[in-house]
Amino acid sequence: MQNLPAILLESSPVSLNPVTSTDLLAILPVLILLGTGAVVLVMDLFQSVPAGEGETRKPVLHFLSILGAVIAGAQICGALAAPDTGATSFFRDALRIDKFSLAMSLLIVLGAAFSLLGAADTLRRRGLEHGEFHALILFSAASMILFTQSASLIMAFLSLETLSMSVYVLTAYTREEKRSNEGALKYFILGSLSTGFLLLGLVFIYGATRSTNLVEIEAALRGGGANLDSPLLLCGLALTLIGLSFKIGAFPFHSWLPDAYEGALSIVTGFMAVTVKVASFAVLLRLALLFGSTPSAGTIGAELHASLTAALSTLAVLTMVFGNVVALVQRSLKRMLAYSAIAHTGYLLVGVITAMEAKRSGLAAGTGAGQAVLFYLFPYALMTLGAFTCMSYLGRGTEDCESLESYRGLGRQQPVLALGILLLMISFAGIPPTAGFWGKLLIFRQAIDTGHWGLALTGIVTSVVSVYYYLSVVVNMYMQPGGENEPLSTEPRTCGKLAILLTVGAVAIVGLLPDTFFRLSMAYSLR
Amino acid sequence: MDAFVFYISGVLSVVAAALVVTRKNPVHGTIYLVLFFLLVSLDYLILRAPFLAIIQVLVYAGAILVLFLFVIMLLNLSEEELRESTSTTRKGFAGILSAGLFGLLSWGILRSPTVRNMGDLAAPVTSPTLAKAGETEAIGQALFTTHALAFEFSSILILVAILGAIYLTKKRKQTSSAPSQTSLTGLESQEEAGQKHAPADGARLEKRLA
């Protein structure tokens, strides 16, 4: 009976106030997002629907929700700009906020704000302007922020579940479309399965370290002594890794991803591809560094490092090769981008492995680890948001224009839209001097520095392969003669133009000024 | 006494779990699942966690599975639909995966020093905190102090779930610009999607690769 849950035994002095005002101030951005979501949901009930064609019928919803996201983003920016005081715990160690988690939160809020901005036109065109959309985006962004900041396994699990639940519903948002229902159902079933794996994994980690708190788990790892149960810990890590691999869409666990990405509205696909990936990678990186690079008293540290590196490397190689090869044969742009999202997961996994290696060998002592992942994720988020926002204008009414051939002649018909897609595709392919190029360069450079030649080589070869399919979009837009059918497209309105302009512009700026952003990602890396 | 109860409930729960996956009739399967959950709640009692045992009976066996039963009965599957079987390769694949998972977990548990040095579970508990750890008071303390944020945040989880369920099933008034918004229940659309939606290129290629 000596091994009863430590959770229930903590005999900390019970204060009458489990929540203090400092705690609440720390999660102010989350509260703003949740509050805006609730307000938007209620506002929707009082919106009348005038019959006027072509007018945004519920401008208040868009305005309010974007405003909420922008205020939350400003809050996070303020916290980022404040002097670095290290990680601070809130809510009795349930949350741990540091510069890294704030930077990741900023990316998430950015993703939500751009998705809301770009969504106005699509929702109006499809007749789908409901408050639920905005509320779900805001709620999921709030839970993603908590996910990246959580320092307790319980909080991590709860917030992951909330964010997944909102994304399942968003995938099925176009209810009358079979494709969307199919994708959402696959996502839901496989997602629930992965949640089961993850929960079992977390329970095993708890059993092995006797704590659900990451700080205490780190102490147990450092001690390496009697309080650590290595077989249980390895089991738990394996299961947790499987669970997280489902969420990031790494190779053997990716099967839901193409269908869900294809079935959802383009805007929702962009939102999922960016924010779910950012949040999951933030937690994956934190866990990988915690378990794979904490110096421990016994042999457990080396053992964990070796097995985590082996598992992640296998995943990374398989994911890079599979994603890029299958993307080559896609006939639909949306599906092609879905497979390329899998490929980018592979590159990011290489970044996680190198961060682990750098931290363990002491390379990261002064600079922190994981700056490559951060530096890659920022332009990746912008490119993906931009690409899917552009895609949401390819189509008319409820009809989508998706096969690569149907873009022939788009360069003449919609020069601005086509130029945006051109820039984003070049950046995705990693052709210098674009943002995508610098991100890949940093990741492969670090892989070589830490001795992972195989990973760097696979990455370089597969990104050369990827140039083919990204550029085939451009070839179809500009160089193929248009058929008798003009490509279906809709003219972006103010909101949409702003979203495309901002994302494409930001991608261009990151491409031209990589130094500034590299310095920022160094400052916000995980210590 | 504890050991006796554990072995009886252990053997019975393995039998019940096997019956859940082998029964053709989903109603029978669900009833065996209820039995399985009831037997697991006995294990919680043996581990001196009465609160969890009660919750297991009330929430899982009582609420969730009864809901399952209602849904299955409302679906009213015909004889032919019940007779449909999955292909043997698929079953084999699932079997291998489950065996792998079972192997991994039993490796971890059998090698674990914690489990080996567990000692006699039936021995009387001496420490007063340990004796009370599984009781409602201790769990309530932890929920409202250490885990206050998680406890409060679970309301957002439930809110999102309710929101999604209502949005996906609610009938909407037909609007002028929207196409025919017939309310599809999730299951109809799933069947139709399965029958009519041709597998896309990627899926086909994946099959070939596999």
Side-chain angles (χ1 to χ4, degrees):
Chain A
M1 287 308 290
Q2 269 70 49
N3 300 308
L4 265 178
I7 273 187
L8 306 175
L9 297 180
E10 282 161 15
S11 52
S12 51
V14 180
S15 91
L16 288 173
N17 267 347
V19 176
T20 61
S21 52
T22 3
D23 290 338
L24 289 178
L25 266 180
I27 59 161
L28 196 57
V30 175
L31 295 178
I32 291 173
L33 289 174
L34 290 177
T36 319
V39 168
V40 167
L41 204 56
V42 177
M43 283 287 284
D44 188 31
L45 299 176
F46 301 103
Q47 296 280 306
S48 56
V49 185
E53 273 296 312
E55 283 300 306
T56 305
R57 281 167 290 154
K58 297 175 178 174
V60 187
L61 292 187
H62 303 299
F63 178 73
L64 258 185
S65 48
I66 294 169
L67 187 71
V70 169
I71 294 176
Q75 280 279 340
I76 296 173
C77 280
L80 264 178
D84 193 359
T85 50
T88 325
S89 291
F90 296 97
F91 288 101
R92 306 204 172 191
D93 287 345
L95 296 183
R96 217 169 144 70
I97 300 181
D98 50 15
K99 292 282 170 185
F100 174 76
S101 63
L102 283 173
M104 288 297 197
S105 312
L106 185 63
L107 277 184
I108 291 163
V109 173
L110 214 63
F114 276 121
S115 309
L116 289 168
L117 197 62
D121 288 350
T122 315
L123 294 183
R124 191 175 43 82
R125 176 158 66 89
R126 299 273 191 129
L128 286 169
E129 270 184 313
H130 309 305
E132 283 94 339
F133 181 89
H134 307 79
L136 282 171
I137 293 240
L138 292 168
F139 285 162
S140 61
S143 39
M144 281 164 194
I145 293 178
L146 287 181
F147 186 48
T148 58
Q149 296 178 342
S150 53
S152 116
L153 297 179
I154 295 178
M155 203 48 223
F157 175 73
L158 262 179
S159 45
L160 178 65
E161 205 34 16
T162 313
L163 79 88
S164 313
M165 200 73 84
S166 349
V167 177
Y168 300 146
V169 181
L170 282 172
T171 312
Y173 191 73
T174 39
R175 298 186 308 168
E176 65 277 7
E177 237 180 71
K178 280 169 201 151
R179 208 170 56 154
S180 156
N181 283 312
E182 187 198 349
L185 204 71
K186 276 187 186 166
Y187 191 12
F188 178 59
I189 291 173
L190 285 176
S192 313
L193 187 71
S194 77
T195 305
F197 275 100
L198 187 79
L199 188 57
L200 198 57
L202 296 183
V203 167
F204 268 73
I205 291 177
Y206 171 49
T209 59
R210 302 192 191 172
S211 173
T212 55
N213 190 294
L214 293 187
V215 184
E216 281 166 27
I217 290 177
E218 191 180 347
L221 281 171
R222 278 183 196 281
N227 269 337
L228 204 63
D229 191 328
S230 56
L232 285 188
L233 189 55
L234 280 175
C235 259
L237 274 182
L239 293 170
T240 311
L241 192 60
I242 292 177
L244 280 178
S245 302
F246 266 105
K247 300 288 171 202
I248 57 174
F251 164 57
F253 313 106
H254 68 282
S255 49
W256 59 271
L257 191 141
D259 292 306
Y261 276 27
E262 194 189 10
L265 282 173
S266 296
I267 285 289
V268 172
T269 312
F271 177 72
M272 303 212 268
V274 170
T275 52
V276 175
K277 199 170 270 183
V278 168
S280 309
F281 263 102
V283 173
L284 182 64
L285 187 66
R286 203 182 278 279
L287 290 182
L289 289 181
L290 171 63
F291 288 107
S293 329
T294 306
S296 76
T299 53
I300 176 81
E303 198 182 329
L304 281 176
H305 178 75
S307 34
L308 263 180
T309 310
L312 286 175
S313 310
T314 319
L315 279 180
V317 169
L318 289 175
T319 309
M320 283 188 287
V321 172
F322 175 84
N324 281 311
V325 170
V326 180
L328 280 179
V329 295
Q330 298 307 312
R331 299 316 312 153
S332 138
L333 179 56
K334 221 167 166 187
R335 250 186 126 72
M336 188 206 88
L337 284 178
Y339 281 101
S340 94
I342 297 179
H344 286 282
T345 296
Y347 302 135
L348 282 163
L349 280 173
V350 176
V352 173
I353 297 164
T354 59
M356 244 164 66
E357 199 74 51
K359 184 158 186 218
R360 192 172 165 74
S361 57
L363 283 176
T367 55
Q371 63 273 68
V373 174
L374 201 55
F375 185 67
Y376 192 95
L377 273 174
F378 179 60
Y380 174 75
L382 291 170
M383 292 185 298
T384 309
L385 287 168
F388 282 104
T389 312
C390 288
M391 274 209 65
S392 68
Y393 293 101
L394 302 173
R396 200 174 289 146
T398 55
E399 256 183 291
D400 274 327
C401 152
E402 276 182 3
S403 78
L404 287 176
E405 283 78 21
S406 61
Y407 293 132
R408 288 184 179 161
L410 191 78
R412 277 189 312 283
Q413 193 198 16
Q414 294 261 13
V416 182
L417 205 60
L419 189 69
I421 296 181
L422 168 74
L423 276 174
L424 292 169
M425 289 299 146
I426 288 177
S427 185
F428 265 129
I431 294 170
T434 53
F437 169 72
W438 299 116
K440 278 182 186 163
L441 183 73
L442 187 63
I443 282 191
F444 299 150
R445 172 74 204 280
Q446 290 210 334
I448 292 170
D449 282 351
T450 51
H452 289 284
W453 284 92
L455 289 176
L457 201 67
T458 319
I460 292 168
V461 170
T462 48
S463 29
V464 170
V465 170
S466 75
V467 173
Y468 171 78
Y469 60 79
Y470 286 125
L471 289 193
S472 72
V473 180
V474 177
V475 169
N476 270 308
M477 279 190 318
Y478 284 107
M479 296 170 198
Q480 299 278 352
E484 55 267 41
N485 297 327
E486 282 284 289
L488 292 174
S489 62
T490 322
E491 184 76 24
R493 291 152 59 89
T494 326
C495 279
K497 271 183 193 151
L498 196 65
I500 295 173
L501 197 73
L502 283 177
T503 45
V504 174
V507 169
I509 289 172
V510 177
L512 295 175
L513 300 170
D515 267 1
T516 320
F517 290 91
F518 179 65
R519 246 179 275 120
L520 277 179
S521 60
M522 289 286 264
Y524 300 147
S525 60
L526 199 55
R527 313 247 156 196
Chain B
M1 182 62 190
D2 279 359
F4 179 70
V5 174
F6 172 74
Y7 283 118
I8 299 280
S9 78
V11 170
L12 284 179
S13 55
V14 171
V15 172
L19 284 170
V20 173
V21 283
T22 48
R23 290 305 90 188
K24 278 265 179 243
N25 191 329
V27 176
H28 296 173
T30 316
I31 289 172
Y32 284 115
L33 199 55
V34 175
L35 180 65
F36 171 76
F37 280 144
L38 289 177
L39 290 166
V40 170
S41 73
L42 279 182
D43 290 346
Y44 288 130
L45 276 184
I46 297 171
L47 291 170
R48 294 175 179 76
F51 180 73
L52 275 187
I54 298 291
I55 290 296
Q56 174 84 5
V57 173
L58 282 181
V59 175
Y60 282 89
I64 295 181
L65 283 180
V66 170
L67 202 67
F68 268 39
L69 270 181
F70 275 132
V71 171
I72 293 170
M73 286 175 174
L74 282 177
L75 284 180
N76 205 5
L77 296 171
S78 64
E79 287 290 316
E80 291 115 60
E81 281 169 311
L82 284 179
R83 249 183 273 123
E84 271 176 27
S85 59
T86 38
S87 65
T88 32
T89 42
R90 202 171 268 204
K91 272 185 186 165
F93 193 59
I96 290 168
L97 280 184
S98 321
L101 183 62
F102 182 72
L104 176 74
L105 295 185
S106 29
W107 173 82
I109 292 169
L110 290 177
R111 290 269 312 270
S112 154
T114 321
V115 176
R116 282 188 183 171
N117 305 332
M118 197 70 111
D120 189 6
L121 278 177
V125 186
T126 43
S127 146
T129 23
L130 276 174
K132 293 205 165 188
E135 285 179 8
T136 319
E137 188 188 342
I139 292 176
Q141 287 273 7
L143 263 188
F144 287 99
T145 54
T146 324
H147 301 289
L149 180 64
F151 179 75
E152 298 294 343
F153 188 71
S154 53
S155 61
I156 303 289
L157 172 59
I158 296 170
L159 178 65
V160 168
I162 295 172
L163 191 65
I166 293 177
Y167 174 77
L168 292 179
T169 50
K170 189 173 73 175
K171 276 192 177 135
R172 291 210 180 261
K173 270 179 270 170
Q174 205 125 352
T175 47
S176 55
S177 64
S180 61
Q181 287 196 343
T182 46
S183 160
L184 288 175
T185 66
L187 280 143
E188 276 168 7
S189 58
Q190 174 206 356
E191 275 171 25
E192 284 175 16
Q195 285 161 5
K196 290 176 192 164
H197 188 68
D201 310 18
R204 253 185 256 138
L205 187 93
E206 272 169 52
K207 266 181 209 148
R208 241 184 283 143
L209 284 175

